[in-house]
């Protein structure tokens, strides 16, 4: 019995950022919401998520709260009636509206001993480098962006793990690759 769905989940408004996710047909949109949040560094303590068919404005499958509750949580993947090649949408954060396009690439047999859902691959990262280190002639991958300093300087202040310590009291966000 084939019951693992392989989805490519891509950010709609940022080019080149995607994750390939496997989920079992009997798992729910609540399970899917959770792994998308993890895979894209979205909060798991704030903001709503919702899956939808074509346009979110035409209504979705129901709200999903960060704690996994909500009217859109219980629906099973197989109840969506999807075939290979079908697309649907997911929105995270009803204020900022971060939209994702989900494409069902394949339905396949489950692998023994694998815990689903899981991320099996992702886009090739297009790394940016820490600006503080750059000034000292070093090339270190930036992991954080300081939102406060970026707003002050009106350009992205991006930092490696070590250099982030000086911004610990600021509002920083993890950079998604
Ligand atoms: Zn640095
Ligand atoms: Zn800062």
């Amino acid at each position: 019995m084939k019951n693992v769905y392989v989805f490519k989940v891509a950010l709609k408004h940022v080019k080149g950022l995607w994750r390939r996710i496997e989920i079992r047909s009997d798992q729910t949109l609540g399970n899917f919401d959770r792994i998308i949040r993890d895979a894209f560094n979205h909060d798991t303590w704030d903001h709503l998520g919702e899956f939808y068919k074509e346009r979110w404005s035409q209504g979705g499958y129901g709200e999903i709260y960060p704690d996994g509750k909500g009217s859109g949580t219980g629906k099973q993947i197989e109840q969506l009636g999807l075939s290979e090649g079908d697309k649907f949408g997911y929105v995270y954060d009803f204020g900022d509206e971060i939209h994702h396009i989900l494409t069902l690439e394949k339905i396949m047999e489950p692998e023994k001993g694998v815990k689903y859902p899981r991320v099996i691959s992702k886009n090739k990262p297009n790394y940016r480098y820490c600006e503080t280190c750059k000034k000292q002639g070093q090339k270190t991958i930036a992991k954080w962006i300081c939102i406060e300093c970026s707003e002050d300087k009106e350009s992205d202040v991006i930092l490696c793990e070590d250099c982030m310590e000086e911004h610990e009291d600021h509002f920083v966000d993890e950079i998604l690759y």
Side-chain angles (χ1 to χ4, degrees), residues 146 148-149 167 170:
C146 182
E148 283 179 50
C149 292
H167 300 254
H170 298 174

Side-chain angles (χ1 to χ4, degrees), residues 3 11-12 22 45 62-63 68 73 86 88 107-108 140 151:
N3 69 356
L11 283 181
K12 189 175 180 185
E22 292 179 344
W45 63 88
E63 296 173 352
T73 302
D86 283 353
F88 66 117
I107 303 174
M108 52 181 242
T140 319
E151 278 172 8

